[in-house]
Amino acid sequence: MKLFIDSGNLKEIEALVPLGIIDGITTNPSLLAKEGGDYRGLLKRICQIVKGPTSAEVVATDADGMVREGRELAAIDEHIVVKVPFTKAGVIACKTLAEEGNKVNVTLIFSPTQALIAAKVGATYVSPFVGRLDDIATSGMNLIAEIVEIFGNYEFTTEVLVASVRHSIHIVEAARMGADICTCPAAVIEGMFKHPLTDIGLERFLKDWEKAGLR
Ligand code: E4P
């Protein structure tokens, strides 16, 4: 399963990329707004660091505007994936942008029918938001299972990009279900490394070695 960082923060991205486990980045308008300043320059820098798919979202709400913005975003770097929200306008824009050869991520997916529609119009990725569904007492991971099953039944090449990930259990369940990608905040990726028994084990190995005085 591929692992993306869900962030527009250069420090977080620069800290995680050298680990060799990061396959791409997702941003959204809220994440880029948090960073402020020149968002195009920031996206370019992120692409240079990650050298992998980097989602950048349009903010227009009509199809023509989304296509225009999508083309502008795609011109920033070859790694840019144009992100469009799942609306009727977003579906039309996805089809146009995909037919022009752009990679498109259809975001704000909350049902299997939305994912099916996005796949039919050539989305490279669909982004179902699991955490936000959990927040309203609906299982986010059930949605992932349904989408993985549906895409597997046909010849869709659209990848399931699990988004709104809040903790390691989301990642484990997504991997067990065969989802293609999880995009996670930096803190969630950090959490994947942690286990107290690893820390205790290493401390004991080093103490025993020191006690024995071996050279
Ligand atoms: C995905 O592409 C989105 O940026 C993101 O996962 C949203 O997550 P949130 O629900 O934590 O804001």
Short mmCIF file of all heavy atoms in Angstrom, two decimals, residues 21 91 98 161 170 213:
data_model
loop_
_atom_site.label_atom_id
_atom_site.label_comp_id
_atom_site.label_asym_id
_atom_site.label_seq_id
_atom_site.Cartn_x
_atom_site.Cartn_y
_atom_site.Cartn_z
N ILE A 21 9.69 6.09 2.73
CA ILE A 21 8.40 5.37 2.74
C ILE A 21 7.27 6.22 2.15
O ILE A 21 6.12 5.77 2.12
CB ILE A 21 8.00 4.95 4.18
CG1 ILE A 21 7.96 6.19 5.11
CG2 ILE A 21 8.96 3.90 4.73
CD1 ILE A 21 7.31 5.91 6.45
N VAL A 91 -17.47 16.42 -11.51
CA VAL A 91 -17.50 15.22 -12.36
C VAL A 91 -17.23 15.61 -13.83
O VAL A 91 -16.44 14.97 -14.53
CB VAL A 91 -18.85 14.49 -12.20
CG1 VAL A 91 -19.07 13.44 -13.28
CG2 VAL A 91 -18.93 13.85 -10.81
N ALA A 98 -9.18 14.69 -17.33
CA ALA A 98 -8.63 13.34 -17.54
C ALA A 98 -8.42 13.08 -19.04
O ALA A 98 -7.40 12.53 -19.46
CB ALA A 98 -9.53 12.29 -16.93
N LEU A 161 -7.83 6.05 -2.57
CA LEU A 161 -6.91 6.85 -1.75
C LEU A 161 -7.64 7.17 -0.44
O LEU A 161 -8.49 8.06 -0.40
CB LEU A 161 -6.55 8.12 -2.53
CG LEU A 161 -5.35 8.96 -2.13
CD1 LEU A 161 -5.09 10.04 -3.19
CD2 LEU A 161 -5.49 9.59 -0.78
N HIS A 170 -6.84 2.86 11.24
CA HIS A 170 -7.34 3.14 9.88
C HIS A 170 -6.37 2.59 8.84
O HIS A 170 -6.78 2.00 7.83
CB HIS A 170 -7.47 4.66 9.66
CG HIS A 170 -8.72 5.28 10.23
ND1 HIS A 170 -8.79 6.58 10.65
CD2 HIS A 170 -9.97 4.76 10.43
CE1 HIS A 170 -10.02 6.86 11.08
NE2 HIS A 170 -10.75 5.76 10.96
N GLY A 213 31.14 -5.36 28.69
CA GLY A 213 32.41 -4.69 28.33
C GLY A 213 33.06 -5.25 27.07
O GLY A 213 34.28 -5.22 26.95
#
